[in-house]
C-alpha cells in the first residue's frame, strides 16, 4: 500500500471544507486544509454573514418610521458607514478566528496558500511545495460572474467589493434579479441610497414561486426601489459626475456605483482538476454522485463548487456526510429534498418545497392552493404599507403539503419550523390540526381554509 503525507487534503476552508476536515480529523486521520484567502469562505467573509449585518443596519430606517407610529419621538438620525464597516470587519475577523481554532482543536493542519492538483494524489501548495494525500476533497465554493466583454465593465463592482466600499454612494444601480441583487437593493435603499435594480428577465427571483416573485417586487417598489425589468446594460461610461450605464433600449442610468449581481460560477479555474482527470459539467461545476464522489475514486467535492444547492448549510451537511462515510465507517449521504431557503429581501422570503408552477408540472391540475395576502397587525396600527404573503401548495387526494412560501418580516424564522413538518410529509389536515398561536403572523398558515382559485377559474384573489 502506498504511503501518503496525509490521509485527507482539503482544498478550501469555507463552511463545507472546514466541517469535513474537522469531522475527519476527529477520527484520528491526518488532515491538511489549504485556503488561499481568509478562513471561513464566502459565507463568513464575503457572503451571508456580513450581508445579514448590512440587512440589520439598513432595516433601522423603517423601524424609526414604525416607532413614530407607535408614539415614540424619534430625533434626528444619521448613519455612519465607516463606523459600521469597522464593527462588521471586527466581527468577521472574530468569526474567522473561531473557524481556525475549531480546525486546530480537531487536530487538522491549516496552510494559507493556493493549492492545485498535480495528479490524483499529489497537491502543489503555493509557498510550501508538493504533498501527497490518500483522499482529496475539493471545497472551493463559487465566485461572482461578470460579463467580461461588456464595454466599461472594469468600472463595475460585484458583491465582493460591496462589503468594502470606502464611502456610501448616493446612487447605485444593481444589475441582476437573483437573491443577491434583491438583497443588496434592499440594503442600499434602507441606508438612504437612491437605488435602481435592472434585470433583463420578466420578473425577479427566478426559481421561486411566481406569487412570491411578484409580491416581493411590488413591496420593493413600495419602499422606493426603482425596478427596470426586461432591461439590460449595454455599456458603462465613467464621467466626471460618476458612472453612466447605457441600456440596450437607449435609456441611461446615472450612478456613483454600478454593481453586477448576475450570478455565481463554481471556482474550479486553476485547480488542476484536468491533471487528475476530474470531470466537470457544462457550468464548470465538479460532477459528483450522491456521496459527493467525483469520477476519480479518491477525490470528492462538496458545496457550491458542485452547483447542487448553493447554500451554506447544505455545504456543511455535504461535508459532514463525506467525513462520516469515509473516516467514521458510517455511510451517509445528504438528502437534497425539501431544503428550505431564505431571501433577506425587505420584506424577506422563506420558502420550502415546490412552487405552484413546479407542482403543476409534476402533478398536473391536481393541486390546491391556499393563499393569504394581508397587512400584519403591526402595520395596521399606524397605517404602514408593508404587507405579508403566505402560500401553501397542496396535492389533492393525499392532501400532502408540497410547498410553503412566506414573505414577511419573520419569514426566515417561520420557514425553518415549517421545513421540519414538510420534510416529515405533513398533510393539510395534520397542519390544520395545529392550534394557532395568537396574535402572530404565523398563525395565518394554520388557519387558511379556503382554496385559492386564479381569476381565470372564476374567483378573484
Amino acid at each position: 500500500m502506498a504511503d501518503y503525507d496525509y490521509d485527507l487534503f482539503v482544498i478550501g476552508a469555507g463552511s463545507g471544507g472546514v466541517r469535513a476536515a474537522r469531522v475527519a480529523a476527529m477520527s484520528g486521520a491526518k488532515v491538511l486544509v489549504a485556503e488561499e484567502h481568509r478562513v471561513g469562505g464566502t459565507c463568513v467573509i464575503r457572503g451571508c454573514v456580513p450581508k445579514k449585518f448590512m440587512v440589520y443596519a439598513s432595516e433601522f430606517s423603517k423601524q424609526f418610521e414604525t416607532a413614530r407610529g407607535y408614539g415614540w419621538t424619534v430625533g434626528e438620525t444619521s448613519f455612519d458607514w465607516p463606523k459600521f464597516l469597522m464593527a462588521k470587519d471586527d466581527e468577521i475577523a472574530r468569526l474567522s478566528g473561531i473557524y481556525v481554532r475549531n480546525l486546530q482543536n480537531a487536530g487538522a493542519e491549516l496552510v494559507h496558500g493556493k493549492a492545485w492538483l498535480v495528479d490524483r494524489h499529489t497537491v502543489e501548495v503555493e509557498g510550501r511545495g508538493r504533498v501527497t494525500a490518500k483522499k482529496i476533497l475539493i471545497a472551493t465554493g463559487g465566485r461572482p460572474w461578470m460579463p467580461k466583454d461588456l464595454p466599461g465593465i472594469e468600472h463595475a463592482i460585484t458583491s465582493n467589493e460591496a462589503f468594502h466600499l470606502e464611502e456610501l454612494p448616493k446612487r447605485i444601480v444593481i444589475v441582476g434579479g437573483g437573491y443577491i441583487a434583491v438583497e443588496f437593493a434592499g440594503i442600499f435603499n434602507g441606508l438612504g441610497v437612491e437605488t435602481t435594480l435592472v434585470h433583463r428577465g420578466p420578473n425577479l427571483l427566478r426559481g421561486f414561486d411566481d406569487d412570491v416573485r411578484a409580491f416581493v417586487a411590488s413591496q420593493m417598489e413600495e419602499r422606493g426601489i426603482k425596478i427596470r425589468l426586461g432591461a439590460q446594460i449595454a455599456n458603462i461610461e465613467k464621467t466626471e459626475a460618476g458612472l453612466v450605464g447605457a441600456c440596450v433600449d437607449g435609456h441611461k442610468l446615472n450612478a456613483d456605483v454600478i454593481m453586477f449581481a448576475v450570478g455565481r460560477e463554481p471556482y474550479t479555474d486553476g485547480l488542476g482538476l484536468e491533471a487528475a482527470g476530474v470531470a466537470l459539467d457544462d457550468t464548470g461545476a465538479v460532477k459528483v454522485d450522491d456521496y459527493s464522489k467525483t469520477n476519480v475514486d479518491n477525490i470528492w467535492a462538496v458545496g457550491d463548487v458542485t452547483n447542487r444547492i448553493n447554500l451554506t448549510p447544505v455545504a456543511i451537511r455535504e461535508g459532514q456526510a463525506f467525513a462520516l462515510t469515509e473516516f467514521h465507517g458510517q455511510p451517509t449521504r445528504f438528502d437534497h429534498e425539501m431544503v428550505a431557503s431564505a431571501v433577506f429581501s425587505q420584506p424577506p422570503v422563506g420558502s420550502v418545497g415546490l412552487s405552484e408552477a413546479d407542482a403543476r408540472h409534476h402533478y398536473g391540475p391536481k393541486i390546491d392552493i391556499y393563499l393569504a395576502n394581508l397587512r400584519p397587525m403591526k402595520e395596521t396600527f399606524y397605517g404602514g404599507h408593508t404587507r405579508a404573503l403566505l402560500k401553501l401548495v397542496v396535492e389533492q387526494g393525499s392532501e400532502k403539503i408540497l410547498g410553503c412560501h412566506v414573505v414577511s418580516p419573520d419569514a426566515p424564522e417561520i420557514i425553518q419550523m415549517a421545513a421540519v413538518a414538510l420534510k416529515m410529509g405533513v398533510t393539510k389536515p395534520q397542519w390544520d390540526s395545529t392550534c394557532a398561536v395568537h396574535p402572530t403572523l404565523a398563525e395565518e398558515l394554520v388557519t387558511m381554509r379556503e382554496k385559492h382559485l386564479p381569476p381565470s377559474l372564476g374567483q378573484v384573489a
Side-chain angles (χ1 to χ4, degrees), residues 146-158 161 233-238 243 257-260:
M146 291 277 275
K148 298 179 178 62
D149 57 347
L150 190 147
I153 191 65
E154 67 274 10
H155 302 306
I157 68 168
T158 70
E161 294 77 39
I233 299 288
N235 64 75
I236 301 171
E237 181 184 358
K238 187 173 184 179
L243 299 177
V257 171
I258 295 180
M259 172 181 162
F260 271 70

Side-chain angles (χ1 to χ4, degrees), residues 89-151:
D89 290 343
D90 287 345
E91 179 62 8
I92 297 308
R94 185 186 73 85
L95 294 174
S96 179
I98 290 174
Y99 269 61
V100 172
R101 288 194 297 274
N102 285 344
L103 277 173
Q104 294 171 338
N105 291 341
E109 184 181 344
L110 173 67
V111 60
H112 290 278
K114 183 176 177 61
W116 60 93
L117 299 176
V118 176
D119 58 43
R120 56 182 294 192
H121 286 290
T122 307
V123 184
E124 179 91 19
V125 184
E126 186 177 26
R128 175 167 177 151
R130 296 185 177 185
V131 298
T132 59
K134 184 177 181 181
K135 299 178 180 181
I136 294 171
L137 177 68
I138 309 298
T140 48
R143 289 184 166 185
W145 180 84
M146 291 277 275
K148 298 179 178 62
D149 57 347
L150 190 147

Side-chain angles (χ1 to χ4, degrees), residues 223-288:
R223 295 191 180 209
I225 298 172
K226 299 175 184 177
I227 300 178
R228 289 183 54 83
L229 298 174
Q232 192 169 355
I233 299 288
N235 64 75
I236 301 171
E237 181 184 358
K238 187 173 184 179
T239 69
E240 292 183 1
L243 299 177
V244 179
C247 295
V248 173
D249 62 5
H251 187 83
K252 293 188 177 182
L253 300 168
N254 298 307
D256 302 303
V257 171
I258 295 180
M259 172 181 162
F260 271 70
V262 289
R264 294 175 63 83
E265 59 185 354
Y267 177 30
T268 52
D269 290 344
L271 297 183
L273 299 181
E274 64 283 353
V278 175
L280 307 179
D281 67 15
D282 293 339
T283 70
V286 180
K287 296 173 67 173
V288 294

Side-chain angles (χ1 to χ4, degrees), residues 289-445:
D289 64 14
D290 289 344
Y291 290 88
S292 296
K293 180 181 283 189
T294 72
N295 61 304
V296 181
D297 63 9
N298 72 297
I299 300 177
W300 290 256
V302 298
D304 291 8
V305 75
T306 66
N307 199 28
R308 287 177 283 183
I309 298 179
N310 297 337
L311 296 172
T312 296
V314 172
I316 291 172
R317 294 290 294 273
E318 290 172 353
Q320 178 158 319
F322 154 75
L324 289 175
T325 300
E326 297 301 321
F327 293 94
H328 291 265
Q330 302 174 30
T332 306
R333 60 182 182 179
F334 175 64
D335 181 7
H336 292 80
E337 296 296 321
M338 284 296 177
V339 174
S341 61
V343 181
F344 292 98
S345 49
Q346 298 184 34
V349 177
S351 180
V352 61
L354 297 180
S355 67
E356 179 180 348
D358 286 339
R360 294 196 184 281
H361 175 74
H362 289 289
Y363 294 90
K366 298 181 179 180
I367 295 296
D368 288 330
I369 301 298
Y370 297 84
L371 184 70
N373 182 330
L374 62 132
R375 200 158 49 123
M377 63 181 295
K378 186 175 183 180
E379 296 292 311
T380 61
F381 181 83
Y382 74 100
H385 299 291
T386 297
R387 299 186 67 84
L389 181 79
L390 304 97
K391 183 173 183 177
L392 295 176
V393 181
V394 181
E395 180 189 10
Q396 291 178 3
S398 70
E399 296 198 70
K400 181 180 178 181
I401 298 180
L402 303 174
C404 177
H405 312 280
V406 182
V407 187
S408 80
D410 298 313
E413 306 295 339
I414 293 171
I415 210 67
Q416 178 66 83
M417 299 314 297
V420 175
L422 267 67
K423 187 74 172 178
M424 296 176 69
V426 67
T427 65
K428 186 65 163 58
Q430 292 170 331
W431 186 273
D432 291 345
S433 70
T434 304
C435 187
V437 178
H438 182 75
T440 66
L441 177 74
E443 69 178 300
E444 298 290 337
L445 282 173

Side-chain angles (χ1 to χ4, degrees), residues 47-70:
C48 41
V49 172
K51 182 178 61 183
K52 189 68 180 290
F53 290 140
M54 295 176 79
V55 170
Y56 285 141
S58 66
E59 287 176 333
F60 281 101
S61 56
K62 174 70 166 61
Q63 292 170 6
F64 293 143
E65 175 189 335
T66 303
R68 293 186 184 96
Y70 275 83

Side-chain angles (χ1 to χ4, degrees), residues 162-238:
F163 294 111
H164 305 286
L165 292 173
E166 292 184 2
E167 59 183 25
L168 197 62
K170 291 182 173 59
R171 305 162 300 171
I172 189 168
V173 170
I174 299 175
V175 183
Y179 71 93
I180 295 175
V182 167
E183 288 172 339
F184 272 103
I187 288 168
F188 284 110
N189 177 68
L191 295 178
V193 179
E194 181 183 312
T195 303
T196 301
L197 188 64
V198 178
H199 179 47
R200 66 180 182 178
N203 209 342
L204 308 177
L205 297 176
R206 182 170 61 88
F208 285 82
D209 185 88
D210 288 339
D211 283 321
V212 168
R213 301 171 70 191
F215 186 82
V216 169
S218 69
Q219 290 296 293
M220 291 174 66
E221 290 180 319
E222 180 69 37
R223 295 191 180 209
I225 298 172
K226 299 175 184 177
I227 300 178
R228 289 183 54 83
L229 298 174
Q232 192 169 355
I233 299 288
N235 64 75
I236 301 171
E237 181 184 358
K238 187 173 184 179

